[in-house]
Amino acid sequence: MVFPMKNESTTRMDLANRVFFRLYQCANMLHKTGSRAIEADGLTTQQWAVLGALSRPQAAEGMSVGDLARYLMVSRQNLSGVISRMERDGHVGLAPDPRDRRSRLITMTETGRRVWQVDAQPKIFAYYEDTLTGFSVNDIAHTLHYLLKLLENMQRIDNAQGGGRETDGEGG
């Protein structure tokens, strides 16, 4: 793509504007189309992310609310509503952390594990295949590389702005 008669700084900002706008659109479309892919299982993309996080071997004993919020990069307040609905639906359980009674651990229930492994994951993998149509393995690896670089820079900015210091009285 050639931008005649523009200096490098203007071109860089024009391209940056396009990149960030496309990221915004992708995030919105992920939420919309991803939720449709799993709505028959009573899940949303936020719940998909929670179950995915809790399905990792590192989370076998559960995760504190704070650790899960940090891992998903959401506020505890936003996560609280999602967790409440998931607990109501029997997908997750909350219990006091034996190491710190002030903190609660979120764990995936057997129902949640079945919904995740049997119902949702095949639909999620089909969604990934559909979404990544036309991408080679190399394309996917490069995309992941650049998204991780963006995420690292955004985390640096968040830390410099005082982000990540959010507390709600819950240990974790």
Side-chain angles (χ1 to χ4, degrees), residues 13-24:
M13 288 304 101
D14 286 347
L15 289 170
N17 187 55
R18 289 179 181 196
V19 166
F20 284 93
F21 183 66
R22 295 300 182 216
L23 280 173
Y24 175 78

Side-chain angles (χ1 to χ4, degrees), residues 38-50:
I38 54 173
E39 68 187 352
D41 300 311
L43 297 175
T44 65
T45 52
Q46 293 90 348
Q47 293 169 333
W48 158 358
V50 169

